[in-house]
Amino acid sequence: MKTELELLFFVDSKLRSEVIKIFNNYNIFVESPELDRTSEVTFNFKVPLDKCINYNTVKVIYEYLEKQLKIDSIGEKINFICSDDEYMQSPLFVLDSTGNSQNAFLEDKEQSFIRKHFAKFAD
């Protein structure tokens, strides 16, 4: 299974090369985003996480971006990419559900509990 961290943030276009440089210092290669009509550029890229580059590495970069470059918001999403075999064999992806069968629903006993214990508040 591969794990990747998808990042999204905006930065002043003047800081574009400095952002790229800090990621490159950690062997994370980022393409330069295109300039548009605004003074900001959008960085949206994926960082493969492995033994060399992990979330702690990214946290160090975040701290630099926040303190030195004043980037106050960085969106992130973690993607897990696995083969069909990895998916089928992993207990993390097992989901037992009663939602597919009407006969499998449990009897709802909540009403009697509510009536019995909270009737005194209704008066």
Side-chain angles (χ1 to χ4, degrees):
M1 175 168 50
K2 295 190 308 186
T3 307
E4 63 184 16
L5 180 65
E6 189 172 344
L7 301 175
L8 172 67
F9 58 92
F10 306 94
V11 64
D12 188 296
S13 60
K14 296 174 199 162
L15 300 173
R16 179 175 58 163
S17 60
E18 191 167 348
V19 169
I20 293 170
K21 181 181 171 186
I22 186 65
F23 280 98
N24 287 346
N25 287 343
Y26 289 91
N27 293 321
I28 301 171
F29 299 101
V30 178
E31 291 184 26
S32 180
E34 301 215 6
L35 293 172
D36 58 12
R37 295 181 182 171
T38 66
S39 62
E40 290 185 330
V41 291
T42 303
F43 280 91
N44 187 3
F45 58 94
K46 296 174 183 173
V47 177
L49 300 178
D50 54 27
K51 292 178 184 176
C52 298
I53 302 170
N54 57 37
Y55 197 78
N56 289 329
T57 307
V58 177
K59 281 177 29 181
V60 171
I61 296 171
Y62 283 176
E63 289 175 11
Y64 178 85
L65 294 175
E66 291 171 352
K67 290 178 183 173
Q68 301 300 321
L69 302 184
K70 307 297 184 211
I71 297 173
D72 58 354
S73 179
I74 301 172
E76 62 181 24
K77 179 173 91 173
I78 297 178
N79 300 312
F80 300 97
I81 300 106
C82 58
S83 69
D84 288 343
D85 288 339
E86 289 172 320
Y87 178 82
M88 296 304 286
Q89 294 172 9
S90 175
L92 292 175
F93 297 110
V94 174
L95 176 64
D96 296 325
S97 171
T98 61
N100 298 329
S101 169
Q102 187 66 28
N103 296 331
F105 288 127
L106 300 174
E107 183 181 340
D108 182 6
K109 296 182 181 182
E110 184 178 9
Q111 285 292 24
S112 62
F113 176 82
I114 291 173
R115 272 189 250 119
K116 180 179 175 184
H117 295 285
F118 296 103
K120 61 184 173 187
F121 297 113
D123 294 334

